[in-house]
Amino acid sequence: MKTQLQAVSLRIQTLRSNQQMAEAMKGATKAMSLMSRQMNLPQIQRILQDFEKESSQMDMKEEMMSDSIDDVMEDEGEGEEEEGDKILDEVLAEIGISVGQQLGEAPTSAPPTSIAEPGKRTAVALGGDSSSGGGGGGEVDELQARLDQLRKD
């Protein structure tokens, strides 16, 4: 008997919940229908089209202004570079240095290197002590003597 009463109580509670849900849905439906009547869909579409048109015009104007600014900045950049070169030339002239003069003294190509011919053999020193006649000049002999002296110590 007790379980049957609990089952009936649960059913009543479920029915109350369903009734409250139905009332809430009824209120939401009224609010949506009221908003639907107040909204003028053709007017909203017209507003959105006008916004899109104005936005595209603004984008075009922005692009034109950006191009104009870039062109002006490029022109000024070239003028500034020429002005900088002119000032540099004046300063160097006061000091008595000519850029062309300094560049004229600089080598224009790498010094020629000797490349062995394919069939020709060349002698190369492999090392050893200074008495072996490995060549290399007095400087190398002096360094070898110092190294030998360090090894003895």
Side-chain angles (χ1 to χ4, degrees):
M1 182 82 156
K2 189 176 183 180
T3 56
Q4 289 177 350
L5 288 175
Q6 285 178 346
V8 170
S9 174
L10 286 174
R11 279 192 174 248
I12 292 172
Q13 190 177 9
T14 304
L15 289 173
R16 283 184 188 164
S17 297
N18 285 341
Q19 183 182 5
Q20 288 175 350
M21 181 66 80
E23 287 176 13
M25 294 292 284
K26 183 178 178 183
T29 303
K30 284 182 182 179
M32 289 174 68
S33 64
L34 181 65
M35 288 300 293
S36 177
R37 276 186 256 134
Q38 289 179 354
M39 283 171 104
N40 187 357
L41 190 59
Q43 182 184 11
I44 292 174
Q45 288 176 337
R46 196 172 337 110
I47 290 170
L48 287 175
Q49 287 174 349
D50 290 344
F51 176 78
E52 184 178 346
K53 180 179 153 186
E54 292 293 327
S55 178
S56 65
Q57 286 179 352
M58 186 178 70
D59 288 342
M60 288 190 301
K61 288 178 183 179
E62 181 182 356
E63 186 176 336
M64 288 173 47
M65 288 176 57
S66 177
D67 290 343
S68 298
I69 290 172
D70 288 345
D71 290 344
V72 168
M73 295 303 266
E74 279 183 15
D75 292 343
E76 285 181 8
E78 291 172 3
E80 288 176 2
E81 185 176 326
E82 291 171 3
E83 186 177 329
D85 289 343
K86 184 178 178 182
I87 292 172
L88 179 65
D89 289 340
E90 288 175 8
V91 170
L92 291 176
E94 286 178 14
I95 297 173
I97 298 174
S98 171
V99 175
Q101 183 181 36
Q102 296 241 343
L103 292 177
E105 295 171 5
T108 57
S109 64
T113 58
S114 60
I115 301 174
E117 294 178 18
K120 189 176 179 183
R121 293 185 178 203
T122 56
V124 178
L126 295 176
D129 59 350
S130 59
S131 62
S132 66
E139 199 174 298
V140 175
D141 291 340
E142 181 183 323
L143 288 174
Q144 186 63 41
R146 288 176 61 190
L147 181 63
D148 292 341
Q149 182 65 30
L150 288 172
R151 285 184 181 161
K152 288 179 184 177
D153 293 339

